[in-house]
Amino acid sequence: MSPYYQLLRQAAGAWHDAGEARSIALLVLDEAFGVAAVDVYADKVRHFSEEECLRLENIAAALQRGEPVQYALGSARFCDHCFTVTPATLIPRPETEGLVQMALTAARRLASDRRSSAAPLRVLDAGTGSGCIAISLALALAAEGIAADVEAWDISEAALDVARRNAKVLGAAVRFVHADILALPAGASFDLIVSNPPYICRHERAEMASHVTAHEPALALFVPDDDPQRFYRALAALAHRRLISGGALMVEAHSRYADATAAVMREAGLSDVAVHPDIFGLPRFVSGVWSLREGVSKCKF
């Protein structure tokens, strides 16, 4: 049996429909073995070595167990970078790239507003997981010559281990800190706080794909049904305490509760609060600016 059909058979069935199975098989062949889809369709898949055959069997077995393809591969693409992912970290989603782009735009404007200062921008990614947001921002800012001191928090030491590994492999300067967002850690001020916190209510678990709920870390996914804004209240309080005047808070939010998240930000005293769509047109991101002192220019996003 060809590698493609082996993967197709293992990915199909109870876990994925036929279309998803095809996409997964092609992704695995491309990412893990460098076999392009055009070669699959032309029936020109090269001969696999014994080592490659063993890896193919391991990936196929993981897919048959219902593991997400990213965990089966051990990696996921995000902002044109390849990140190691494990069951200790969420799998980066393509829509979250929009949060990185928003944060990058904000950082550019904040840097422009303080051209006379040699101090680097201070950026926080609160709840970093695999480090995909913090690392992508750090790399993009460095590529544009914008000096930035990027810090990333997570409550999970296992996730931080993965994030540190990703930063080392990708050459990103990020400081990783074991910290709980809900504890509102004290410390220096930030110019920009970015976060993709847990926001799915527990009752929604029944609506989700089993390969997500059975394998991705619940700690990074779910919030109590009676408190869907738990992390956003903490982030707004953190912004109140640790954003510079004119600094920005930007978060990914539940599309059903984005307006409620915006209300939390306004209640905490942030201004210019706005809801932004993701690549699918859903209300996904919320941004706000910390209250300004007299004489400080306003930075809108």
Side-chain angles (χ1 to χ4, degrees):
M1 181 181 296
S2 75
Y4 172 68
Y5 286 107
Q6 182 179 350
L7 288 166
L8 195 63
R9 187 182 67 177
Q10 302 296 83
W15 304 110
H16 303 284
D17 63 30
E20 290 173 332
R22 282 194 295 272
S23 296
I24 287 170
L26 293 171
L27 175 66
V28 169
L29 290 174
D30 187 19
E31 292 285 330
F33 305 103
V35 176
V38 65
D39 292 325
V40 174
Y41 292 134
D43 198 22
K44 294 181 179 180
V45 176
R46 60 174 174 78
H47 177 72
F48 276 25
S49 68
E50 185 176 340
E51 183 179 347
E52 287 177 320
C53 286
L54 179 59
R55 188 180 184 200
L56 178 70
E57 289 174 7
N58 290 334
I59 292 172
L63 293 173
Q64 192 167 48
R65 292 193 297 270
E67 291 184 24
V69 63
Q70 293 87 350
Y71 290 158
L73 288 168
S75 64
R77 292 275 172 182
F78 184 83
C79 288
D80 295 325
H81 305 295
C82 185
F83 288 87
T84 291
V85 292
T86 76
T89 66
L90 284 184
I91 296 166
R93 265 63 175 185
E95 57 266 34
T96 303
E97 294 184 6
L99 182 61
V100 174
Q101 293 306 313
M102 284 175 53
L104 184 57
T105 298
R108 291 185 188 118
R109 296 184 183 182
L110 286 163
S112 177
D113 280 356
R114 54 189 291 182
R115 279 190 299 264
S116 60
S117 173
L121 291 177
R122 295 205 69 235
V123 180
L124 171 66
D125 173 21
T128 197
S130 65
C132 62
I133 293 174
I135 291 168
S136 297
L137 270 175
L139 292 172
L141 291 168
E144 295 189 17
I146 298 174
D149 180 0
V150 181
E151 187 170 308
W153 297 352
D154 207 283
I155 196 173
S156 166
E157 286 284 11
L160 288 171
D161 286 343
V162 175
R164 290 188 184 101
R165 192 187 324 161
N166 280 322
K168 183 177 181 179
V169 169
L170 291 168
V174 179
R175 182 172 58 260
F176 294 98
V177 179
H178 182 249
D180 181 359
I181 299 170
L182 298 177
L184 299 179
S189 296
F190 294 101
D191 297 272
L192 178 62
I193 297 175
V194 183
S195 184
N196 178 18
Y199 57 68
I200 301 172
C201 290
R202 290 196 181 109
H203 76 268
E204 296 177 87
R205 189 183 188 105
E207 305 171 17
M208 299 170 65
S210 58
H211 64 270
V212 174
T213 58
H215 297 281
E216 296 198 57
L219 183 67
L221 285 171
F222 298 108
V223 290
D225 289 341
D226 61 353
D227 195 8
Q229 298 299 318
R230 168 178 286 185
F231 284 93
Y232 299 107
R233 285 198 309 275
L235 287 163
L238 188 68
H240 181 104
R241 295 185 184 190
R242 298 189 60 180
L243 271 181
I244 65 162
S245 184
L249 170 64
M250 296 184 159
V251 301
E252 181 168 323
H254 196 309
S255 61
R256 297 178 187 173
Y257 307 123
D259 288 338
T261 300
V264 166
M265 284 194 187
R266 293 189 187 97
E267 288 167 8
L270 279 83
S271 60
D272 296 325
V273 175
V275 176
H276 311 267
D278 65 14
I279 55 174
F280 305 111
L282 296 173
R284 179 67 61 193
F285 311 113
V286 186
S287 64
V289 177
W290 180 234
S291 301
L292 305 171
R293 294 193 299 269
E294 186 176 349
V296 178
S297 62
K298 184 173 289 190
C299 183
K300 293 185 178 180
F301 312 102

